[in-house]
DNA sequence: CTAGTTCTGCGTATGGTCTACGCATTACAG
DNA sequence: CTGTAATGCGTAGACCATACGCAGAACTAG
């Protein structure tokens, strides 16, 4: 009758609570034949093999030899499953920065670890993010990133903003390169031929007098040479770190 | 029998070609009762009113008083419709930078224009981007952005990278603030109460000794005060522009 | 004026999605 | 042994995109 009020407003889904180890199995009833981690692992396996679009409740159930609806005893909804997939998909964070590393070296290492995860599991990019991180490993990644800034004189709010800036960049860059790979596979051409083909198409569409800057970019052949995607990533990351460095220097002075 | 080969590899969908004005109506057959722009406008109207999730082919058809399948005479697939929705959803680009503006002022103006569009139409963030821009207004935005860098000594490739960096940031920032708004609406609480509630939840979950840096951020109350989202946006944008400024200075020297 | 051609509108049907609900079965507490 | 509660899961409902085929409209060629 009385509303069951928890301490704080938004309620954590049961499956997430169990990911934090906050849930004990009630003693009654038949023994569960699956577990949340089993299901999440199966879903991750499907996503690794056939992409996020292949992850349907029935497909995951088939992977486990169970019935579709059986899964709903463990996860409250597909969205909840996706959240847990992200958590285990990222895997453990890279650990705190080495003692001898300055903030820039530390963040660079952290950024490359994040980058590597997204390169290995591009489906992570297709999971619609529905809120700030609340799963254990997600927060672990955040923690390790924040630690890189421990020795700086930035305010706590600035540290989080900085980290947000970097994660956003990494995600974005990964998204773009993943799109090129997926797009080329869909079009049935070599990944290296994707951007040149795009370049030709745009060149055919635009009027050079109305799009002079764009035309100059195309004429320079920027999109035709397939440079190392890692160089592209490094370029943007260094720009951002330069910007942060300027801020840190100003704060230190 | 012989494959109808166009000049270049990837074929532009018919509806996109018509957006470039490259398509003339065949003289035969009954007069079309709708047009691609009519349909796209209706779809945008639905998205503006009820979000992207409400945009289904049948819902758009209902909006037009037509049958669902009638739409497929105009657009090849829902994905194509989405692409066109993004094009008209963005609207016309902000125009080339004022003559007296330096690159930084120009890009700042451009960034705020982009930001403003995404604030007004958050559903744009939910459209899965499936490739580089190919629609007229998208490329128009790119053009106007590139022009801001006309007077710099950056290489063409660097200009595109710089623009990519900025668009990525804007999109990311907009995504985050939109999530807070949508999340608070879903949870039925004030938008200003979202982050404090999140803060309390995380504080309850984490062990301060395993998450010291994160704990310090929470203890500082970073997430509790609801600062102006515009300040947050400005902060990140300035960091990025600082980084670009460092590059430009190095290139000019 | 007529015949042929081609395009439009759209009804029907297929195969997919998530998930609410209810029932039989199982396993433990007392 | 009985009551209770949790599990596995079958059924069914409400959506979704879209392949296909057909009736009719509007033009062109003769």
């Amino acid at each position: 009758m009385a509303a069951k009020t928890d301490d704080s407003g938004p309620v954590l889904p049961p499956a997430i609570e169990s990911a934090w180890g906050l849930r004990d199995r009630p003693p009654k009833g038949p023994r569960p034949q699956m577990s949340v981690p089993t299901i999440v692992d199966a879903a991750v396996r499907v996503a690794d093999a056939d992409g996020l679009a292949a992850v349907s409740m029935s497909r995951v159930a088939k992977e486990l030899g169970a019935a579709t609806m059986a899964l709903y005893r463990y996860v409250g909804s597909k969205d909840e499953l996706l959240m847990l997939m992200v958590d285990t998909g990222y895997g453990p964070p890279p650990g705190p920065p080495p003692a001898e590393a300055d903030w820039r070296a530390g963040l660079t290492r952290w950024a490359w670890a994040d980058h590597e995860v997204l390169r290995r599991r591009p489906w992570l990019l297709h999971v619609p993010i529905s809120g700030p991180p609340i799963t254990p490993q997600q927060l672990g990644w955040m923690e390790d990133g924040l630690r890189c800034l421990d020795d700086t004189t930035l305010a706590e709010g600035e540290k989080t903003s900085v980290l947000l800036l970097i994660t956003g960049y990494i995600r974005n860059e990964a998204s773009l390169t993943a799109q090129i790979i997926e797009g080329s596979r869909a079009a049935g051409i070599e990944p290296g031929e994707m951007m040149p083909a795009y370049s030709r198409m745009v060149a055919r569409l635009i009027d050079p007098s109305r799009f002079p800057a764009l035309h100059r970019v195309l004429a320079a052949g920027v999109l035709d040479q397939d440079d190392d995607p890692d160089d592209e990533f490094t370029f943007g990351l260094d720009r951002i770190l330069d910007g942060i460095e300027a801020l840190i220097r100003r704060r230190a002075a």
Side-chain angles (χ1 to χ4, degrees), chain A residues 118 125 166-179:
Chain A
L118 293 178
L125 297 162
I166 294 178
T167 55
Y169 168 68
I170 296 166
R171 195 179 174 83
N172 222 70
E173 175 69 24
S175 232
L176 254 50
T177 63
Q179 268 169 44

Side-chain angles (χ1 to χ4, degrees), chain A residues 3-33:
Chain A
K4 280 213 247 170
T5 44
D6 251 305
D7 342 281
S8 51
V11 187
L12 210 53
I16 308 293
E17 284 205 327
S18 84
W20 281 96
L22 294 179
R23 219 169 177 79
D24 37 358
R25 192 177 91 74
K28 295 215 178 172
R31 213 152 266 129
Q33 293 171 3

